[in-house]
């Protein structure tokens, strides 16, 4: 009987490990606010590109930013300056500003994307480029792993409106966007696109609830 129970437990553990993890904002908020030391430890592991970092850890670091006091995606002056430098093609200033943003928001896709460009343009080390590329891709993988994006019940969840573009054009490789509309009931942005091999639907759903709730404060 004991052997049967052990076998069942192992099978159950395997099933849980292979199942898609349910993303729960309440749990993440509780960890950030009540287990801050643990949260900070996971952030540090993420910063160091630990190969043992799990998808749950990446989700905690990414979505956890929305429950920190400095979360301010709509009025971050550094993010605005970064976009200005990017548009001007000023790689040195973009690099410096992106590094500054990463100090307090290590999951900023805007910062990571600009660091990928500027490290190449400024001929920084391959090791530094690889670190940013690793973080950037793992965040995009995590977002698309936790949602299917084809319905309001299984949307891609992002903490910054700009992150939608990185998912659309870099992860899903969408070539043509037709329209965007916010559904105020589900707090999802519905993006109509031309389907492709990676995303075979005409509508992509993005959950913007964390961002919208913050802007309502």
């Amino acid at each position: 009987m004991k052997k049967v129970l052990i076998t069942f437990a192992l099978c159950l553990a395997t099933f849980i490990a292979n199942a898609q993890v349910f993303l729960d904002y309440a749990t993440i908020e509780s960890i950030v606010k009540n287990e801050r030391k643990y949260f900070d430890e996971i952030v540090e592991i993420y910063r160091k590109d630990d190969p043992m970092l799990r998808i749950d850890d990446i989700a905690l670091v990414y979505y956890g930013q929305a429950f920190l006091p400095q979360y301010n995606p709509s009025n971050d002056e550094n993010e605005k300056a970064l976009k200005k430098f990017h548009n001007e093609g000023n790689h040195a200033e973009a690099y410096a500003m992106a590094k500054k943003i990463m100090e307090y928001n290590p999951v900023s896709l805007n910062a990571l994307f600009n660091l990928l460009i500027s490290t190449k343009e400024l001929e920084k080390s391959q090791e530094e480029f690889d670190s940013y590329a690793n973080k950037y891709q793992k965040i995009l993988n995590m977002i698309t792993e936790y949602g299917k994006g084809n319905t309001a019940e299984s949307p891609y969840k992002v903490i910054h409106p700009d992150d939608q573009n990185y998912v659309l054009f870099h992860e899903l490789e969408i070539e043509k966007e037709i329209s965007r509309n916010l559904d105020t009931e589900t707090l999802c942005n519905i993006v109509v696109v031309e389907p492709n091999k990676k995303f075979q639907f005409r509508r992509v759903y993005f959950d913007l609830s964390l961002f919208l709730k913050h802007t309502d404060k």
Side-chain angles (χ1 to χ4, degrees):
M1 181 66 179
K2 184 177 181 181
K3 184 177 180 181
V4 172
L5 289 174
I6 292 173
T7 302
F8 174 76
L10 289 173
C11 290
L12 180 61
T14 301
F15 171 78
I16 292 172
N18 292 327
Q20 184 170 329
V21 184
F22 178 71
L23 183 62
D24 180 27
Y25 286 157
T27 299
I28 292 174
E29 181 178 15
S30 177
I31 291 172
V32 172
K33 293 184 176 179
N34 302 317
E35 301 176 54
R36 185 58 183 271
K37 183 179 179 182
Y38 171 75
F39 175 73
D40 289 342
E41 287 174 353
I42 299 299
V43 171
E44 190 58 30
I45 291 172
Y46 159 83
R47 286 185 183 277
K48 293 179 178 178
D49 299 308
D50 192 313
M52 298 302 291
L53 199 69
R54 304 168 304 165
I55 187 172
D56 302 53
D57 298 325
I58 297 166
L60 176 61
V61 176
Y62 178 79
Y63 296 107
Q65 301 302 310
F67 301 105
L68 293 173
Q70 63 264 31
Y71 178 63
N72 190 26
S74 58
N75 290 300
D76 189 322
E77 294 302 323
N78 292 330
E79 289 262 6
K80 293 176 183 178
L82 178 61
K83 289 181 181 180
K84 175 178 177 291
F85 296 138
H86 174 84
N87 292 334
E88 294 171 348
N90 189 334
H91 302 297
E93 290 294 345
Y95 176 82
M97 186 56 67
K99 292 272 285 185
K100 183 176 181 179
I101 292 170
M102 288 287 287
E103 291 176 5
Y104 61 86
N105 182 6
V107 297
S108 168
L109 290 178
N110 280 330
L112 287 166
F113 178 67
N114 275 275
L115 285 167
L116 291 177
I117 296 173
S118 58
T119 49
K120 283 296 184 184
E121 293 292 334
L122 299 173
E123 299 182 345
K124 300 292 183 179
S125 71
Q126 185 64 40
E127 182 180 8
E128 184 175 1
F129 174 86
D130 290 344
S131 176
Y132 301 137
N134 176 61
K135 292 178 174 66
Y136 180 78
Q137 193 57 56
K138 281 189 173 181
I139 292 170
L140 291 181
N141 290 345
M142 179 277 297
I143 292 171
T144 53
E145 181 71 19
Y146 275 111
K148 295 181 179 179
N150 61 332
T151 66
E153 290 70 40
S154 183
Y156 296 134
K157 299 184 178 184
V158 295
I159 61 173
H160 195 300
D162 290 351
D163 293 355
Q164 297 173 100
N165 295 331
Y166 297 110
V167 173
L168 283 171
F169 305 122
H170 296 178
E171 183 66 14
L172 302 181
E173 299 176 6
I174 297 297
E175 293 186 1
K176 184 177 181 180
E177 176 186 328
I178 299 170
S179 65
R180 289 191 193 197
N181 291 289
L182 178 66
D183 182 341
T184 55
E185 183 176 345
T186 63
L187 299 183
C188 282
N189 231 6
I190 305 172
V191 186
V192 179
V193 301
E194 287 288 348
N196 62 17
K197 290 182 179 180
K198 294 194 73 171
F199 192 82
Q200 300 177 2
F201 305 92
R202 290 190 60 82
R203 290 175 175 79
V204 190
Y205 290 78
F206 287 97
D207 180 331
L208 294 175
S209 60
L210 290 177
F211 167 76
L212 292 171
K213 289 175 182 176
H214 180 270
T215 56
D216 285 343
K217 291 181 180 178

